[in-house]
Amino acid sequence: MQRKDLKRLTIKDVARTAGVSIATVSRILNGQGGVSEELIDKVQLTVQELNYQPNAVARALKVQESRSIGLIIPDIGNPFFPALVRGVEDAAQVHGYALILCNTDGDPDKEINYIKFLRSKQVDGILLVGNIGFEQSGHWLSDAAVPIVLVDRRIAGAPLSTVIVDNQAGAVLAVEHLIRQGRRQIAIVSGRPASPTNTERVNGYIQALAANRLFCRTDLVVNGDFTFEGGYRAAEILLNRGCRFDAIFAANDLMAIGVIECLAQNGRRVPDDVAVAGFDNIRLAAWYKPALTTINQPVYEMGQLAVAALLEHMADSGAQARDIMLKPELIIRQSSGGKEQS
Amino acid sequence: MQRKDLKRLTIKDVARTAGVSIATVSRILNGQGGVSEELIDKVQLTVQELNYQPNAVARALKVQESRSIGLIIPDIGNPFFPALVRGVEDAAQVHGYALILCNTDGDPDKEINYIKFLRSKQVDGILLVGNIGFEQSGHWLSDAAVPIVLVDRRIAGAPLSTVIVDNQAGAVLAVEHLIRQGRRQIAIVSGRPASPTNTERVNGYIQALAANRLFCRTDLVVNGDFTFEGGYRAAEILLNRGCRFDAIFAANDLMAIGVIECLAQNGRRVPDDVAVAGFDNIRLAAWYKPALTTINQPVYEMGQLAVAALLEHMADSGAQARDIMLKPELIIRQSSGGKEQS
DNA sequence: TTGTACGCGTTATCAC
DNA sequence: GTGATAACGCGTACAA
């Protein structure tokens, strides 16, 4: 009854059963026209009856187009990525593309290996959330012979289209909010210093301070690494320095939460003593107590737009690389003292 | 300089450049032996120089094996799935398989469509977190001509291998813990009644009560739907009934949190007035205040084991379907009153 | 040990 | 309007 090893049927079988040539079947299946109504009906019927499905691999080999794209991210376990992946998958599916998912843990070697892997799989395009440097592998990135679009993180010097949120503007939003809340001694807990994303956010911090005639005091700057523990340790360092501060901007939410936990351990109240703002608006930010003021990124849309950009490059190999910047949004919650009074 | 439209090179190019036949190149690439050292060196060198990569699509067509598997889940945005996906992807990658990810939102029609889609892509196997009924589509599930392994959710009557956590045992763990905490009037907020997973957890609740000579009171049973809002509403219903209860077991963490929020709104203290336990151990459970007592599922391992099971079926089409049950684990946190005193 | 040639399942070009 | 047939890039039986 359940013959799994039943040989998969091919266009040949359909042709034979319907009593026509494979050329005719192919034409009908691809809706090319130039076929009589009669045959169309007959063939479509047998396709139904046999439950025939074209072999996409054979088709891919023939038309040199696999109808699949690759998505390379650091780690789907990172709460930032599921929404991105969902946006990508939905958009890909709409256009009939399969999505191949790859996790690199941010390791540049793995990124290169996955690009090679995807290339051998003949994917039509690649979406990359990359940590690799351009010189480190500019060869692969620009000569990959397959369109690559960068998502969420730029790669300095790479001549590739990039879909990204305006990190600097987001940081400005967060810091200016803290300032409007009456805070003046605003510290920053940065992410990994090497990360372009971090640099942009730090620049936003500096810009916002300057725009409000506040100094950027080096004793209020401390490096984290985008992790909870990094945030915790950074807050400890800040406390140990003995300098005054009445607000902290953390370069992402995970660190912001680490910061708050540390402050709580040390008897500082949030937001009464110290206002805290993060970046990313991960799910946890809304649930955490105190609920975290943060910068929302339209992650799902980012995924969708990335696919759109990739499709463009796939359709036109001469298309210019361009930056697509998404607007961040300030989400005000308790950790910064709640609503602004204006 | 950057000639993207440079024709991709083939085994033919390598053969020509190395001055050998394509058969020789193929043999060397696949390590088949029977080739002189001299040619091996020469060919491997030219492969390096040309930076040649075999075309996996052509290979797949020839050997009838695409080296890719499909993973069909409801929604990567659901906090339960990222770890599963990661487990699957890691295991797949180790064995050289690409992972095609599909989100269905739990819609049986989408599940069927994706199975067809993946079949046409000639995937070698499918991992399915399915909501479809077996009769509803037994045809597709057992005759799919491609091995399917069920993950996280069983499908009643489907003769397919299933990798799943022992939900009933998990619920017993949770409820018995509440009993040991001295609670006697334990309510349950269930998930979608139609879900097999929910049924198993409810059965565990009943079993644990019975084993401790407690009655299952219908006024302490209320249906949720696995969402936060469902949990909130369920708790409201429970409160409105006016019955006494000193503990609530929610069939998943999201509902447990909804329950706690509702209780807090209505002046009940957790865990003092009501102890609460959930199921899943999502990230949020640890961060939430009060931290949530829950049942941990080894989700990452589940993904890995699912791939292992799938590989078995792929290697031996006659392999018997079997159930692989993973042990759940009780995680005690504040929401149930913390550590047990024994 | 090495090379030639066929076929995997399509699509597309050419005859009829 | 329809049907042979040649690719697509690879693996392998067979021949040498």
Side-chain angles (χ1 to χ4, degrees):
Chain A
M1 187 62 81
Q2 59 188 68
R3 297 267 307 262
K4 290 217 175 186
D5 12 45
L6 192 72
K7 208 161 172 321
R8 285 218 54 189
L9 26 83
T10 76
I11 197 171
K12 239 179 203 161
D13 301 309
V14 178
R16 193 165 15 79
T17 319
V20 298
S21 76
I22 62 170
T24 303
V25 178
S26 177
R27 274 192 279 259
I28 293 174
L29 255 31
N30 297 320
Q32 312 216 158
V35 190
S36 67
E37 287 292 337
E38 189 197 341
L39 287 192
I40 293 185
D41 289 348
K42 196 195 308 189
V43 167
Q44 283 182 338
L45 203 70
T46 50
V47 165
Q48 291 281 335
E49 280 177 353
L50 296 185
N51 193 18
Y52 165 75
Q53 286 199 258
N55 182 326
V57 170
R59 179 175 208 286
L61 178 60
K62 178 62 189 171
V63 305
Q64 303 285 57
E65 169 187 306
S66 67
R67 295 231 140 221
S68 57
I69 64 177
L71 171 58
I72 304 178
I73 62 176
D75 176 21
I76 188 64
N78 177 327
F80 178 83
F81 291 111
L84 178 74
V85 173
R86 188 64 206 263
V88 169
E89 207 265 311
D90 284 358
Q93 174 62 12
V94 165
H95 296 277
Y97 284 83
L99 176 69
I100 299 180
L101 182 70
C102 313
N103 294 279
T104 64
D105 293 312
D107 177 350
D109 291 336
K110 286 195 193 174
E111 291 176 9
I112 294 181
N113 284 338
Y114 266 120
I115 291 175
K116 290 184 186 173
F117 177 73
L118 291 172
R119 259 175 60 74
S120 83
K121 286 266 173 200
Q122 311 296 114
V123 295
D124 300 325
I126 295 178
L127 258 24
L128 173 63
V129 181
N131 287 89
I132 194 168
F134 182 54
E135 311 78 26
Q136 190 179 353
S137 158
H139 176 68
W140 279 102
L141 287 182
S142 55
D143 288 7
V146 52
I148 299 184
V149 165
L150 265 25
V151 189
D152 178 53
R153 319 195 173 166
R154 28 170 61 88
I155 292 182
L160 300 172
S161 282
T162 305
V163 180
I164 200 170
V165 76
D166 191 334
N167 285 297
Q168 182 160 345
V172 169
L173 244 36
V175 174
E176 295 209 316
H177 163 68
L178 293 173
I179 294 173
R180 283 195 301 275
Q181 296 290 68
R183 313 292 170 145
R184 288 296 174 270
Q185 294 158 317
I186 303 174
I188 181 172
V189 173
S190 83
R192 272 178 297 106
S195 144
T197 299
N198 179 62
T199 306
E200 291 162 23
R201 295 182 186 174
V202 172
N203 285 344
Y205 163 79
I206 296 170
Q207 178 189 329
L209 291 186
N212 288 273
R213 302 175 187 285
L214 293 173
F215 294 109
C216 176
R217 289 165 36 195
T218 54
D219 57 330
L220 291 184
V221 175
V222 47
N223 288 333
D225 56 1
F226 285 134
T227 68
F228 170 83
E229 292 77 13
Y232 194 99
R233 279 194 303 269
E236 272 181 331
I237 293 174
L238 217 42
L239 289 172
N240 289 338
R241 282 188 189 158
C243 50
R244 283 189 202 289
F245 55 89
D246 53 14
I248 299 180
F249 167 57
N252 76 350
D253 287 347
L254 239 35
M255 289 197 300
I257 290 172
V259 163
I260 295 176
E261 292 283 331
C262 177
L263 292 176
Q265 291 288 324
N266 290 275
R268 305 287 184 108
R269 307 204 44 178
V270 174
D272 305 18
D273 302 333
V274 181
V276 175
F279 203 117
D280 281 351
N281 193 27
I282 62 178
R283 264 177 115 97
L284 181 52
W287 297 105
Y288 189 71
K289 310 274 171 73
L292 194 63
T293 289
T294 185
I295 301 299
N296 183 64
Q297 306 196 47
V299 192
Y300 182 85
E301 292 73 15
M302 217 161 90
Q304 305 233 74
L305 287 171
V307 170
L310 188 58
L311 288 173
E312 269 178 41
H313 282 279
M314 279 160 41
D316 171 15
S317 65
Q320 275 296 312
R322 60 198 179 93
D323 264 30
I324 298 172
M325 280 255 230
L326 302 194
K327 276 216 181 66
E329 181 195 6
L330 175 64
I331 308 286
I332 301 176
R333 299 204 185 94
Q334 282 96 53
S335 72
S336 67
K339 280 225 181 62
E340 299 181 8
Q341 34 247 18
S342 60
Chain B
M1 190 58 86
Q2 60 187 69
R3 299 266 307 263
K4 289 214 177 189
D5 11 47
L6 191 72
K7 206 158 172 329
R8 286 218 53 190
L9 27 83
T10 75
I11 198 171
K12 237 177 203 160
D13 301 310
V14 178
R16 193 166 16 80
T17 321
V20 299
S21 75
I22 60 169
T24 303
V25 177
S26 177
R27 276 192 278 261
I28 293 173
L29 254 31
N30 298 320
Q32 312 215 160
V35 190
S36 68
E37 286 293 336
E38 187 197 344
L39 288 192
I40 292 185
D41 289 348
K42 195 196 304 190
V43 168
Q44 282 182 337
L45 204 70
T46 51
V47 165
Q48 291 280 336
E49 278 176 357
L50 296 184
N51 194 14
Y52 165 76
Q53 287 198 258
N55 182 327
V57 169
R59 181 176 208 286
L61 180 60
K62 176 63 189 173
V63 305
Q64 302 283 57
E65 169 187 307
S66 67
R67 295 235 138 216
S68 58
I69 64 177
L71 172 58
I72 304 178
I73 61 175
D75 176 21
I76 187 66
N78 176 327
F80 177 83
F81 290 112
L84 178 73
V85 173
R86 188 64 207 263
V88 169
E89 207 264 312
D90 284 358
Q93 174 62 15
V94 165
H95 296 276
Y97 284 83
L99 177 69
I100 299 181
L101 183 69
C102 313
N103 293 279
T104 64
D105 293 312
D107 178 350
D109 291 337
K110 286 196 193 171
E111 291 176 9
I112 294 181
N113 285 338
Y114 266 120
I115 290 175
K116 290 184 186 173
F117 178 74
L118 291 172
R119 258 176 62 73
S120 83
K121 287 267 174 200
Q122 310 297 112
V123 295
D124 300 325
I126 296 179
L127 258 24
L128 173 63
V129 181
N131 287 89
I132 194 169
F134 182 55
E135 310 78 26
Q136 191 179 355
S137 158
H139 177 68
W140 278 102
L141 288 182
S142 55
D143 288 7
V146 52
I148 299 184
V149 165
L150 265 25
V151 189
D152 179 50
R153 318 192 176 170
R154 33 168 58 88
I155 292 182
L160 300 172
S161 283
T162 304
V163 179
I164 199 171
V165 76
D166 191 334
N167 285 296
Q168 182 160 344
V172 168
L173 243 36
V175 175
E176 295 208 318
H177 164 67
L178 292 173
I179 293 173
R180 282 195 301 274
Q181 295 292 68
R183 312 294 168 144
R184 289 295 175 270
Q185 294 158 318
I186 303 173
I188 181 172
V189 173
S190 83
R192 274 179 297 104
S195 144
T197 299
N198 179 62
T199 306
E200 291 162 22
R201 294 182 187 174
V202 173
N203 285 345
Y205 164 78
I206 296 171
Q207 178 189 329
L209 290 186
N212 289 272
R213 304 176 184 286
L214 294 173
F215 295 107
C216 176
R217 289 164 37 194
T218 54
D219 59 328
L220 291 184
V221 176
V222 47
N223 289 332
D225 57 359
F226 286 134
T227 69
F228 170 84
E229 292 77 12
Y232 194 100
R233 280 194 303 271
E236 272 181 329
I237 292 175
L238 218 41
L239 290 171
N240 289 339
R241 283 189 187 158
C243 50
R244 284 189 200 292
F245 55 89
D246 55 13
I248 298 181
F249 167 57
N252 77 347
D253 287 347
L254 240 36
M255 290 198 301
I257 290 171
V259 163
I260 295 176
E261 292 283 331
C262 177
L263 292 176
Q265 291 288 324
N266 289 275
R268 307 287 184 106
R269 308 204 42 177
V270 174
D272 305 16
D273 302 333
V274 182
V276 175
F279 202 117
D280 281 351
N281 193 27
I282 62 178
R283 267 176 112 97
L284 181 52
W287 297 104
Y288 189 70
K289 309 274 171 77
L292 194 62
T293 289
T294 185
I295 300 298
N296 183 63
Q297 305 196 47
V299 192
Y300 182 85
E301 291 74 15
M302 216 161 89
Q304 304 233 76
L305 286 171
V307 170
L310 187 59
L311 289 173
E312 268 177 42
H313 282 280
M314 281 159 41
D316 170 16
S317 64
Q320 276 296 314
R322 58 199 180 94
D323 263 31
I324 299 172
M325 281 253 230
L326 301 194
K327 276 216 181 65
E329 181 194 8
L330 174 65
I331 308 286
I332 301 176
R333 298 202 185 95
Q334 281 97 54
S335 72
S336 66
K339 280 227 182 62
E340 299 181 10
Q341 34 248 19
S342 61

